[in-house]
PDB file of all heavy atoms in Angstrom:
ATOM      1  N   PRO A1075     117.986  82.602 130.998  1.00  0.00           N
ATOM      2  CA  PRO A1075     119.223  83.333 130.652  1.00  0.00           C
ATOM      3  C   PRO A1075     119.007  84.728 130.563  1.00  0.00           C
ATOM      4  O   PRO A1075     117.856  85.270 130.154  1.00  0.00           O
ATOM      5  CB  PRO A1075     119.660  82.681 129.350  1.00  0.00           C
ATOM      6  CG  PRO A1075     118.997  81.360 129.216  1.00  0.00           C
ATOM      7  CD  PRO A1075     117.647  81.537 129.935  1.00  0.00           C
ATOM      8  N   ASP A1076     119.908  85.639 130.753  1.00  0.00           N
ATOM      9  CA  ASP A1076     119.721  87.060 130.693  1.00  0.00           C
ATOM     10  C   ASP A1076     119.339  87.561 129.251  1.00  0.00           C
ATOM     11  O   ASP A1076     118.501  88.469 129.131  1.00  0.00           O
ATOM     12  CB  ASP A1076     121.052  87.784 131.122  1.00  0.00           C
ATOM     13  CG  ASP A1076     121.174  87.795 132.560  1.00  0.00           C
ATOM     14  OD1 ASP A1076     120.357  87.466 133.234  1.00  0.00           O
ATOM     15  OD2 ASP A1076     122.449  88.095 132.914  1.00  0.00           O
ATOM     16  N   ASP A1077     119.804  86.875 128.294  1.00  0.00           N
ATOM     17  CA  ASP A1077     119.501  87.381 126.922  1.00  0.00           C
ATOM     18  C   ASP A1077     118.454  86.650 126.157  1.00  0.00           C
ATOM     19  O   ASP A1077     118.174  86.594 125.007  1.00  0.00           O
ATOM     20  CB  ASP A1077     120.825  87.241 125.988  1.00  0.00           C
ATOM     21  CG  ASP A1077     121.352  85.784 125.979  1.00  0.00           C
ATOM     22  OD1 ASP A1077     120.846  84.921 126.762  1.00  0.00           O
ATOM     23  OD2 ASP A1077     122.196  85.516 125.163  1.00  0.00           O
ATOM     24  N   SER A1078     117.540  85.918 126.990  1.00  0.00           N
ATOM     25  CA  SER A1078     116.499  85.158 126.329  1.00  0.00           C
ATOM     26  C   SER A1078     115.398  86.038 125.919  1.00  0.00           C
ATOM     27  O   SER A1078     115.126  87.037 126.442  1.00  0.00           O
ATOM     28  CB  SER A1078     115.976  84.056 127.455  1.00  0.00           C
ATOM     29  OG  SER A1078     115.603  84.744 128.665  1.00  0.00           O
ATOM     30  N   PHE A1079     114.695  85.569 124.898  1.00  0.00           N
ATOM     31  CA  PHE A1079     113.491  86.133 124.340  1.00  0.00           C
ATOM     32  C   PHE A1079     112.309  85.445 124.808  1.00  0.00           C
ATOM     33  O   PHE A1079     112.105  84.328 124.562  1.00  0.00           O
ATOM     34  CB  PHE A1079     113.618  86.237 122.865  1.00  0.00           C
ATOM     35  CG  PHE A1079     112.422  86.982 122.089  1.00  0.00           C
ATOM     36  CD1 PHE A1079     112.579  88.300 121.878  1.00  0.00           C
ATOM     37  CD2 PHE A1079     111.303  86.389 121.788  1.00  0.00           C
ATOM     38  CE1 PHE A1079     111.600  89.065 121.269  1.00  0.00           C
ATOM     39  CE2 PHE A1079     110.208  87.102 121.194  1.00  0.00           C
ATOM     40  CZ  PHE A1079     110.463  88.431 120.875  1.00  0.00           C
ATOM     41  N   VAL A1080     111.483  86.140 125.779  1.00  0.00           N
ATOM     42  CA  VAL A1080     110.562  85.463 126.551  1.00  0.00           C
ATOM     43  C   VAL A1080     109.100  85.593 125.926  1.00  0.00           C
ATOM     44  O   VAL A1080     108.689  86.734 125.776  1.00  0.00           O
ATOM     45  CB  VAL A1080     110.512  85.819 127.879  1.00  0.00           C
ATOM     46  CG1 VAL A1080     109.492  85.127 128.884  1.00  0.00           C
ATOM     47  CG2 VAL A1080     111.943  85.800 128.613  1.00  0.00           C
ATOM     48  N   VAL A1081     108.523  84.428 125.638  1.00  0.00           N
ATOM     49  CA  VAL A1081     107.092  84.485 125.134  1.00  0.00           C
ATOM     50  C   VAL A1081     106.275  83.821 126.277  1.00  0.00           C
ATOM     51  O   VAL A1081     106.415  82.610 126.490  1.00  0.00           O
ATOM     52  CB  VAL A1081     107.072  83.530 123.890  1.00  0.00           C
ATOM     53  CG1 VAL A1081     105.642  83.537 123.260  1.00  0.00           C
ATOM     54  CG2 VAL A1081     108.036  84.181 122.687  1.00  0.00           C
ATOM     55  N   SER A1082     105.457  84.519 126.868  1.00  0.00           N
ATOM     56  CA  SER A1082     104.745  84.099 127.879  1.00  0.00           C
ATOM     57  C   SER A1082     103.182  83.812 127.651  1.00  0.00           C
ATOM     58  O   SER A1082     102.554  84.621 126.988  1.00  0.00           O
ATOM     59  CB  SER A1082     104.822  85.055 129.222  1.00  0.00           C
ATOM     60  OG  SER A1082     106.070  85.225 129.584  1.00  0.00           O
ATOM     61  N   THR A1083     102.767  82.729 128.135  1.00  0.00           N
ATOM     62  CA  THR A1083     101.386  82.377 128.141  1.00  0.00           C
ATOM     63  C   THR A1083     100.916  82.211 129.589  1.00  0.00           C
ATOM     64  O   THR A1083     101.405  81.376 130.193  1.00  0.00           O
ATOM     65  CB  THR A1083     101.113  81.110 127.411  1.00  0.00           C
ATOM     66  OG1 THR A1083     101.559  81.236 125.979  1.00  0.00           O
ATOM     67  CG2 THR A1083      99.680  80.678 127.322  1.00  0.00           C
ATOM     68  N   ILE A1084      99.828  82.954 130.001  1.00  0.00           N
ATOM     69  CA  ILE A1084      99.316  82.867 131.338  1.00  0.00           C
ATOM     70  C   ILE A1084      97.836  82.447 131.311  1.00  0.00           C
ATOM     71  O   ILE A1084      97.050  83.055 130.694  1.00  0.00           O
ATOM     72  CB  ILE A1084      99.488  84.311 132.014  1.00  0.00           C
ATOM     73  CG1 ILE A1084     100.963  84.814 131.980  1.00  0.00           C
ATOM     74  CG2 ILE A1084      98.960  84.326 133.450  1.00  0.00           C
ATOM     75  CD1 ILE A1084     101.192  86.226 132.279  1.00  0.00           C
ATOM     76  N   GLY A1085      97.540  81.397 132.013  1.00  0.00           N
ATOM     77  CA  GLY A1085      96.198  80.846 132.127  1.00  0.00           C
ATOM     78  C   GLY A1085      96.166  79.557 132.583  1.00  0.00           C
ATOM     79  O   GLY A1085      97.147  78.804 132.577  1.00  0.00           O
ATOM     80  N   ARG A1086      94.852  79.114 132.843  1.00  0.00           N
ATOM     81  CA  ARG A1086      94.636  77.592 133.174  1.00  0.00           C
ATOM     82  C   ARG A1086      95.140  76.752 132.176  1.00  0.00           C
ATOM     83  O   ARG A1086      94.985  77.056 130.949  1.00  0.00           O
ATOM     84  CB  ARG A1086      93.149  77.454 133.416  1.00  0.00           C
ATOM     85  CG  ARG A1086      92.648  78.089 134.585  1.00  0.00           C
ATOM     86  CD  ARG A1086      92.808  77.167 135.897  1.00  0.00           C
ATOM     87  NE  ARG A1086      91.947  76.023 135.926  1.00  0.00           N
ATOM     88  CZ  ARG A1086      92.195  74.979 136.587  1.00  0.00           C
ATOM     89  NH1 ARG A1086      93.229  74.872 137.366  1.00  0.00           N
ATOM     90  NH2 ARG A1086      91.394  73.915 136.471  1.00  0.00           N
ATOM     91  N   LEU A1087      95.746  75.612 132.517  1.00  0.00           N
ATOM     92  CA  LEU A1087      96.183  74.583 131.601  1.00  0.00           C
ATOM     93  C   LEU A1087      95.074  73.623 131.236  1.00  0.00           C
ATOM     94  O   LEU A1087      94.904  72.546 131.806  1.00  0.00           O
ATOM     95  CB  LEU A1087      97.426  73.877 132.233  1.00  0.00           C
ATOM     96  CG  LEU A1087      98.526  74.595 132.694  1.00  0.00           C
ATOM     97  CD1 LEU A1087      99.650  73.684 133.311  1.00  0.00           C
ATOM     98  CD2 LEU A1087      99.078  75.427 131.562  1.00  0.00           C
ATOM     99  N   VAL A1088      94.213  74.135 130.327  1.00  0.00           N
ATOM    100  CA  VAL A1088      93.038  73.369 129.911  1.00  0.00           C
ATOM    101  C   VAL A1088      93.170  73.382 128.355  1.00  0.00           C
ATOM    102  O   VAL A1088      93.882  74.235 127.715  1.00  0.00           O
ATOM    103  CB  VAL A1088      91.812  74.073 130.294  1.00  0.00           C
ATOM    104  CG1 VAL A1088      91.569  73.917 131.771  1.00  0.00           C
ATOM    105  CG2 VAL A1088      91.589  75.465 129.903  1.00  0.00           C
ATOM    106  N   GLU A1089      92.542  72.465 127.818  1.00  0.00           N
ATOM    107  CA  GLU A1089      92.716  72.144 126.336  1.00  0.00           C
ATOM    108  C   GLU A1089      92.374  73.354 125.401  1.00  0.00           C
ATOM    109  O   GLU A1089      93.288  73.676 124.514  1.00  0.00           O
ATOM    110  CB  GLU A1089      91.868  70.923 125.849  1.00  0.00           C
ATOM    111  CG  GLU A1089      92.090  70.511 124.435  1.00  0.00           C
ATOM    112  CD  GLU A1089      91.285  69.274 124.064  1.00  0.00           C
ATOM    113  OE1 GLU A1089      90.571  68.677 124.966  1.00  0.00           O
ATOM    114  OE2 GLU A1089      91.362  68.849 122.925  1.00  0.00           O
ATOM    115  N   ILE A1090      91.315  74.052 125.684  1.00  0.00           N
ATOM    116  CA  ILE A1090      90.874  75.101 124.805  1.00  0.00           C
ATOM    117  C   ILE A1090      91.957  76.335 124.802  1.00  0.00           C
ATOM    118  O   ILE A1090      91.836  77.328 123.954  1.00  0.00           O
ATOM    119  CB  ILE A1090      89.459  75.607 125.015  1.00  0.00           C
ATOM    120  CG1 ILE A1090      89.291  76.000 126.492  1.00  0.00           C
ATOM    121  CG2 ILE A1090      88.478  74.551 124.753  1.00  0.00           C
ATOM    122  CD1 ILE A1090      87.930  76.558 126.911  1.00  0.00           C
ATOM    123  N   LYS A1091      92.766  76.411 125.763  1.00  0.00           N
ATOM    124  CA  LYS A1091      93.786  77.490 125.794  1.00  0.00           C
ATOM    125  C   LYS A1091      94.926  77.244 124.709  1.00  0.00           C
ATOM    126  O   LYS A1091      95.723  78.204 124.532  1.00  0.00           O
ATOM    127  CB  LYS A1091      94.386  77.579 127.178  1.00  0.00           C
ATOM    128  CG  LYS A1091      93.372  78.074 128.300  1.00  0.00           C
ATOM    129  CD  LYS A1091      92.808  79.473 127.988  1.00  0.00           C
ATOM    130  CE  LYS A1091      91.986  79.916 129.084  1.00  0.00           C
ATOM    131  NZ  LYS A1091      91.378  81.325 128.902  1.00  0.00           N
ATOM    132  N   GLY A1092      94.998  76.103 124.148  1.00  0.00           N
ATOM    133  CA  GLY A1092      95.825  75.975 122.871  1.00  0.00           C
ATOM    134  C   GLY A1092      97.277  75.634 123.275  1.00  0.00           C
ATOM    135  O   GLY A1092      98.187  75.986 122.349  1.00  0.00           O
ATOM    136  N   HIS A1093      97.630  75.228 124.516  1.00  0.00           N
ATOM    137  CA  HIS A1093      98.962  75.005 124.838  1.00  0.00           C
ATOM    138  C   HIS A1093      99.694  74.055 123.923  1.00  0.00           C
ATOM    139  O   HIS A1093     100.867  74.097 123.645  1.00  0.00           O
ATOM    140  CB  HIS A1093      99.097  74.509 126.271  1.00  0.00           C
ATOM    141  CG  HIS A1093      98.725  75.611 127.247  1.00  0.00           C
ATOM    142  ND1 HIS A1093      97.380  75.735 127.707  1.00  0.00           N
ATOM    143  CD2 HIS A1093      99.438  76.550 127.864  1.00  0.00           C
ATOM    144  CE1 HIS A1093      97.373  76.720 128.613  1.00  0.00           C
ATOM    145  NE2 HIS A1093      98.534  77.194 128.769  1.00  0.00           N
ATOM    146  N   ASP A1094      98.946  73.007 123.378  1.00  0.00           N
ATOM    147  CA  ASP A1094      99.542  72.035 122.526  1.00  0.00           C
ATOM    148  C   ASP A1094      99.996  72.584 121.286  1.00  0.00           C
ATOM    149  O   ASP A1094     101.034  72.263 120.716  1.00  0.00           O
ATOM    150  CB  ASP A1094      98.454  70.885 122.200  1.00  0.00           C
ATOM    151  CG  ASP A1094      98.303  69.833 123.314  1.00  0.00           C
ATOM    152  OD1 ASP A1094      99.476  69.240 123.405  1.00  0.00           O
ATOM    153  OD2 ASP A1094      97.382  69.634 123.977  1.00  0.00           O
ATOM    154  N   TYR A1095      99.258  73.628 120.785  1.00  0.00           N
ATOM    155  CA  TYR A1095      99.707  74.256 119.471  1.00  0.00           C
ATOM    156  C   TYR A1095     100.844  75.236 119.776  1.00  0.00           C
ATOM    157  O   TYR A1095     101.755  75.337 118.842  1.00  0.00           O
ATOM    158  CB  TYR A1095      98.564  75.097 118.915  1.00  0.00           C
ATOM    159  CG  TYR A1095      97.401  74.149 118.626  1.00  0.00           C
ATOM    160  CD1 TYR A1095      96.270  74.052 119.321  1.00  0.00           C
ATOM    161  CD2 TYR A1095      97.469  73.403 117.345  1.00  0.00           C
ATOM    162  CE1 TYR A1095      95.113  73.279 118.918  1.00  0.00           C
ATOM    163  CE2 TYR A1095      96.374  72.658 117.025  1.00  0.00           C
ATOM    164  CZ  TYR A1095      95.320  72.509 117.814  1.00  0.00           C
ATOM    165  OH  TYR A1095      94.201  71.692 117.363  1.00  0.00           O
ATOM    166  N   ILE A1096     101.037  75.670 120.970  1.00  0.00           N
ATOM    167  CA  ILE A1096     102.234  76.443 121.288  1.00  0.00           C
ATOM    168  C   ILE A1096     103.495  75.562 121.402  1.00  0.00           C
ATOM    169  O   ILE A1096     104.529  75.860 120.997  1.00  0.00           O
ATOM    170  CB  ILE A1096     102.077  77.200 122.610  1.00  0.00           C
ATOM    171  CG1 ILE A1096     100.873  78.094 122.504  1.00  0.00           C
ATOM    172  CG2 ILE A1096     103.329  77.987 123.159  1.00  0.00           C
ATOM    173  CD1 ILE A1096     100.561  78.777 123.860  1.00  0.00           C
ATOM    174  N   LEU A1097     103.247  74.353 121.930  1.00  0.00           N
ATOM    175  CA  LEU A1097     104.345  73.364 121.958  1.00  0.00           C
ATOM    176  C   LEU A1097     104.738  73.024 120.430  1.00  0.00           C
ATOM    177  O   LEU A1097     105.888  72.872 120.174  1.00  0.00           O
ATOM    178  CB  LEU A1097     104.048  72.155 122.729  1.00  0.00           C
ATOM    179  CG  LEU A1097     103.820  72.160 124.149  1.00  0.00           C
ATOM    180  CD1 LEU A1097     103.528  70.766 124.756  1.00  0.00           C
ATOM    181  CD2 LEU A1097     105.028  72.819 124.756  1.00  0.00           C
ATOM    182  N   ASP A1098     103.734  72.928 119.574  1.00  0.00           N
ATOM    183  CA  ASP A1098     104.073  72.650 118.219  1.00  0.00           C
ATOM    184  C   ASP A1098     104.996  73.667 117.599  1.00  0.00           C
ATOM    185  O   ASP A1098     105.864  73.563 116.893  1.00  0.00           O
ATOM    186  CB  ASP A1098     102.839  72.472 117.273  1.00  0.00           C
ATOM    187  CG  ASP A1098     101.928  71.300 117.654  1.00  0.00           C
ATOM    188  OD1 ASP A1098     102.440  70.359 118.222  1.00  0.00           O
ATOM    189  OD2 ASP A1098     100.761  71.250 117.254  1.00  0.00           O
TER     190      ASP A1098
END
């Protein structure tokens, strides 16, 4: 959406990048 507040994470989808904690 035009008015969205965007929080971007750029990188390989591997465990040590912490994506699971971002989902939390």
Side-chain angles (χ1 to χ4, degrees):
D1076 285 345
D1077 59 351
S1078 55
F1079 186 90
V1080 181
V1081 181
S1082 296
T1083 297
I1084 302 169
R1086 289 275 291 162
L1087 302 180
V1088 293
E1089 186 174 359
I1090 56 176
K1091 294 295 185 181
H1093 294 90
D1094 274 298
Y1095 296 102
I1096 300 174
L1097 290 185
D1098 292 343

